[in-house]
Amino acid sequence: MSEIPAQAHQAHVSGEAWNDSLWHSSPPGSIYDYIKVASFSIGPDGLIDQWSLRAEELFGLSAAEAVGRDPVDAFMPPELRPGAHRRVAEILDGKEWTGLIPFRIPDGDGEHGVAEIYVMPTQTETAERAALCVVVDVRALRRIESDLAASQAIFGQSPFGFLLFGTDLTVQRANRRFATVFGGGVEEHRGRTVHDYLPPHEADRMAEALRRVLETGDSVTDLRITGAAPGSRDNRHWSINLYRVHGGNGLPIGVAGLGTDVTRRHLAAREAAGVRRNLALLNEAGHRIGNSLDLETTARELLDVTVPGFCDLAAVDLYQGLLLGDDDRDRPARPHGPGVPSLPGGGPGRAPSAPLRRVAFASAVSDAPLSGPGPGALVAVGEVHRYPPGSPGTLALRTARTRLLEGAAAEDLIQSTLVVPLVAHDTVVGLAQFSRTKGSEPFGERDRAVAVELAARAAVCIDNARLYRREHERALILQRSLLPPGDPAAAGLDIACRYLPGNAATEVGGDWFDVIELPGHRTALVVGDVMGRGLRAAVAMGELRTAVRTLALLDLEPAEVLTALDEVARGLGTPGGSQQASRAALQSRDADRNDLSEVYLATCVYAVYDPVTRRCTIANAGHMPPVLVEPAEPGGPPRPALLLEVPPGMPLGVGGEPFEEVEVDLPEGALLALYTDGLVESRDHPLEEGLRGLREALADPVRPLEDVCDHVLSSLHTRHGEDDIALLLARVQGLPIDAVGDWQLPREARSVGRARELARAKLPAWGLEGLLDTTELLVSELVTNALRYGEGEIRLRLLLDRTLVCEVWDGNLVQPRRRRARDTDEGGRGLQLVGLLSAGWGTRRTHRGKTVWFELPLPGVAGEAVAELSAEQLLSMYG
């Protein structure tokens, strides 16, 4: 079998494809899909000799019933048959005829229809006359005519653009409205595609939608397309509806598209959306701006609201003086015309050229800093800068009016910028910039109004933050000045402390602690808490702390200190002081009336530690109990922390109840913790849980005290934002035995010489030979006074720590009083001598008498030296 050449084979295949397409059924949309054409033929004898299937459908007669019959008799009414026979005869004579003929409708219950018939004379193979008849139901024709008229009315007279796309997605037909918009005549649009009308990206969207509708039959409703009409640069917005069109045989013949110009609707909707967006933006600004009383945070809150909802980039600059607290709003400002806010443009006010600091920056498109409005270098957050003279920033600051900058350079990212001064109470506090990049919609007048409103809200919040910062700093200075400076030091104690304010916003409260040096190297440890917070509590705390220090100088017992302090607290809210408060309380009790004076209540624990005896005397006024952790035995487990059983007493300011005190012996290495309730009490857990957590955190007293403080604060769920926290830790060290000299002296004259001998023997062992003469002299004076004016045995004690302390005890409660001796007096100059030669001296009562003491600085310590009396000082004691 010979092979067919490739070209011949290809031609053969192409021919087959052409034959298949040629002899294929009628294409979609053929007229025969809508009009059912029937045919039959009449032979030379005037009878039907051929009858089509369509004729069977139209006339309701089968071929068996029709062939061989007279066509007139077959389907025409009897009254029309005579004329019909004559017409058939004319046709057989060779005459063509077209006309309407009535016929009986099959299954029509006697109804008649009208058919249009076209009769064409024919000849048989024997040259005899015959006829071919083509019949169409007139009803179908009338329906087509009506549909065409309606289609033409809708398609041609529609106020909307109408297109009919073929299956190849080219325009088959366009109406006049479409041609009016896109130019040219109706016929000129035939054969075009959507790419001839729309920008590429929109044309691709439209073509994809047409393809999808043609393939699936799913309609597309309100497809939004944007493009410009020919000869116009303004974009128009159309709403496109697409649906598939089918032929009479049910096959798709194309896609119909109806376009409505919705540009005005789009602009109105965008306008309404812009108004809603701006209202929502202002509402959000009201909720989110000003939640903090921090200047920088408030500026960042403004940018959080505006980027990216309002603009693409934004920055806030505030005057440097305002941030540093140098700004004073009470200074007068110079007005700049009617209706313009008063501005510090010169004189005592702040000049627009004053330095500013960029406090906040936000960007939705880039992390690069935003330059100042107009030409200038980029400004980073935290950088201090000035706007050049005549720049938009300087003009906005000087006039307090918003400026809109348009027409950025082609290489610049920014397209439009609003420069908005921040005006609060008629004074400019800074500047805000809002910028939109290329591709975003430029700022309009409505945007300008929104920016001014946003800036005004932020400016008021910033000014409130400025005022708060000023007052807060003053209160903070007050409070910090009332707390112990640096690391407190005490004899025989290792001290560590912590103070945490209630929160970063207030940082001013009524908690306090103090470490007070007392005579005899003793130390008073104080922790207190004024109920309430803020400046009022801080002031009350300051008064109570000052009162505690004053009372401590009197060297009173802890219970006596709290009793006196209670009187002070009761007098804080009364103009007349504590005595007036006591009288008012009595009157109120007698008359059954409430005292309307402001009440100040506080809790306090006051402890006095003696490093010689390692004994601590504690009194409590409604405060949390101290915690004691004793050291573990060598090689043994740690001992549990204990809550000391100190009678709590009533808070300071209540009055009427006595305070009790307890004495606790503290072993070497023991840890004593004083604290306020903010450390252990919270609304999230009960007090017992907080106390248990504190005891567990203090279970290891061996580690350094600073580490213990940090461990306590980190391990407890303090939630200290709810309340202030004060924590004071003291580790017991005690004075070494060889640093104490303690002797009992009999009540006899030779005890004066014995006291001098003891002092002269003890000081060289301590390396204090330089203090021998002074100490011997002053000890002699104090023992002499005890013999002359005191009672009972005499006790002499020398203590060596950071200073040398000498104490002389006796059993008489009457305390000596320093006086100036007259010229004729033989005595009375001993205490004058003690006061002149010592660094300090004093007396205090004890349970069994009194103690008189003096203190001498150690040679070479802190540059101090033992005082030496001049001749003038000695003579002054004798007049």
Side-chain angles (χ1 to χ4, degrees), residues 275-404:
V275 172
R276 289 193 299 269
R277 182 179 65 252
N278 291 340
L279 290 176
L281 187 69
L282 294 176
N283 182 62
E284 184 182 9
H287 290 289
R288 296 180 58 183
I289 300 177
N291 294 323
S292 170
L293 288 173
D294 181 75
L295 292 168
E296 291 83 354
T297 302
T298 303
R300 287 193 296 269
E301 288 171 347
L302 171 63
L303 302 193
D304 291 341
V305 171
T306 54
V307 179
F310 180 71
C311 60
D312 299 319
L313 300 97
V316 175
D317 298 325
L318 298 180
Y319 278 111
Q320 176 75 344
L322 181 144
L323 293 168
L324 296 178
D326 299 333
D327 178 76
D328 190 353
R329 183 57 52 87
D330 296 331
R331 295 177 299 178
R334 187 179 66 188
H336 279 245
V340 179
S342 300
L343 301 177
R350 182 177 48 241
S353 59
L356 299 100
R357 185 197 303 172
R358 178 141 301 173
V359 296
F361 170 76
S363 171
V365 295
S366 172
D367 293 332
L370 182 64
S371 63
L378 299 179
V379 180
V381 174
E383 183 177 345
V384 179
H385 66 100
R386 284 182 172 88
Y387 290 116
S391 66
T394 300
L395 295 177
L397 291 171
R398 185 179 299 277
T399 62
R401 288 178 178 166
T402 302
R403 302 183 68 84
L404 175 60

Side-chain angles (χ1 to χ4, degrees), residues 32-66:
Y32 298 108
D33 293 335
Y34 302 95
I35 303 175
K36 303 302 181 182
V37 179
S39 65
F40 61 91
S41 61
I42 302 174
D45 55 1
L47 302 178
I48 298 173
D49 60 358
Q50 289 183 357
W51 189 256
S52 67
L53 295 178
R54 287 285 180 89
E56 289 185 4
E57 297 175 3
L58 181 61
F59 296 109
L61 297 174
S62 65
E65 294 174 328

Side-chain angles (χ1 to χ4, degrees), residues 102-378:
F103 63 93
R104 291 189 301 273
I105 298 176
D107 300 327
D109 298 331
E111 294 184 7
H112 292 79
V114 178
E116 184 175 277
I117 185 170
Y118 176 49
V119 183
M120 295 172 290
T122 62
Q123 289 183 349
T124 65
E125 59 223 10
T126 58
E128 294 181 289
R129 301 274 186 174
L132 175 64
C133 302
V134 179
V135 185
V136 179
D137 189 347
V138 174
R139 293 177 299 172
L141 291 175
R142 296 296 176 264
R143 284 197 301 270
I144 292 175
E145 290 176 355
S146 177
D147 291 346
L148 287 175
S151 175
Q152 182 62 30
I154 296 174
F155 196 83
Q157 302 175 22
S158 172
F160 311 113
F162 214 124
L163 288 177
L164 179 62
F165 296 90
T167 55
D168 59 352
L169 302 185
T170 61
V171 177
Q172 301 298 315
R173 188 175 180 185
N175 70 343
R176 184 179 297 109
R177 174 60 181 169
F178 183 85
T180 301
V181 174
F182 285 92
V186 172
E187 294 299 325
E188 295 180 22
H189 295 277
R190 190 183 301 274
R192 294 184 179 181
T193 66
V194 292
H195 288 81
D196 296 321
Y197 305 107
L198 299 174
H201 63 283
E202 292 287 65
D204 292 341
R205 289 180 57 228
M206 183 74 173
E208 179 60 29
L210 288 170
R211 193 176 300 108
R212 186 169 61 253
V213 171
L214 186 62
E215 293 174 355
T216 65
D218 297 333
S219 301
V220 172
T221 304
D222 197 22
L223 173 65
R224 294 302 178 95
I225 296 295
T226 303
S232 174
R233 302 179 61 180
D234 297 331
N235 277 336
R236 310 292 295 177
H237 299 268
W238 290 284
S239 172
I240 307 297
N241 297 308
L242 303 175
Y243 58 93
R244 192 167 68 182
V245 180
H246 300 83
N249 58 4
L251 296 176
I253 62 173
V255 177
L258 178 65
T260 306
D261 191 339
V262 294
T263 302
R264 292 184 179 179
R265 187 196 312 168
H266 173 78
L267 295 178
R270 189 175 64 179
E271 191 80 4
V275 172
R276 289 193 299 269
R277 182 179 65 252
N278 291 340
L279 290 176
L281 187 69
L282 294 176
N283 182 62
E284 184 182 9
H287 290 289
R288 296 180 58 183
I289 300 177
N291 294 323
S292 170
L293 288 173
D294 181 75
L295 292 168
E296 291 83 354
T297 302
T298 303
R300 287 193 296 269
E301 288 171 347
L302 171 63
L303 302 193
D304 291 341
V305 171
T306 54
V307 179
F310 180 71
C311 60
D312 299 319
L313 300 97
V316 175
D317 298 325
L318 298 180
Y319 278 111
Q320 176 75 344
L322 181 144
L323 293 168
L324 296 178
D326 299 333
D327 178 76
D328 190 353
R329 183 57 52 87
D330 296 331
R331 295 177 299 178
R334 187 179 66 188
H336 279 245
V340 179
S342 300
L343 301 177
R350 182 177 48 241
S353 59
L356 299 100
R357 185 197 303 172
R358 178 141 301 173
V359 296
F361 170 76
S363 171
V365 295
S366 172
D367 293 332
L370 182 64
S371 63
L378 299 179

Side-chain angles (χ1 to χ4, degrees), residues 731-876:
R731 176 172 290 143
V732 175
Q733 295 176 343
L735 288 181
I737 297 177
D738 57 359
V740 178
D742 196 350
W743 305 278
Q744 295 285 346
L745 300 175
R747 190 167 188 79
E748 53 189 32
R750 61 188 182 91
S751 293
V752 176
R754 176 60 179 165
R756 288 197 298 268
E757 293 175 0
L758 293 172
R760 180 168 289 276
K762 191 67 175 176
L763 264 59
W766 289 342
L768 300 179
E769 292 84 353
L771 297 181
L772 279 176
D773 295 337
T774 303
T775 303
E776 186 178 0
L777 175 60
L778 299 185
V779 166
S780 176
E781 289 294 336
L782 293 188
V783 174
T784 300
N785 283 344
L787 285 174
R788 183 176 298 178
Y789 305 109
E791 298 177 359
E793 289 189 348
I794 300 172
R795 183 178 179 184
L796 171 64
R797 191 166 73 171
L798 294 179
L799 306 176
L800 175 63
D801 192 67
R802 289 170 296 172
T803 60
L804 176 65
V805 174
C806 174
E807 297 177 335
V808 176
W809 297 0
D810 68 78
N812 191 350
L813 295 176
V814 178
Q815 299 186 16
R817 180 175 59 88
R818 181 178 178 180
R819 64 183 178 85
R820 176 175 291 276
R822 295 189 297 269
D823 295 343
T824 58
D825 291 342
E826 296 183 1
R829 296 176 179 84
L831 292 181
Q832 284 184 266
L833 190 64
V834 172
L836 289 173
L837 291 177
S838 67
W841 77 278
T843 66
R844 68 174 183 275
R845 287 183 298 172
T846 64
H847 294 295
R848 296 180 304 275
K850 68 176 181 298
T851 299
V852 183
W853 59 271
F854 68 85
E855 185 177 21
L856 294 177
L858 302 182
V861 176
E864 297 182 1
V866 180
E868 295 184 0
L869 294 181
S870 63
E872 290 77 8
Q873 290 175 320
L874 289 173
L875 291 175
S876 66

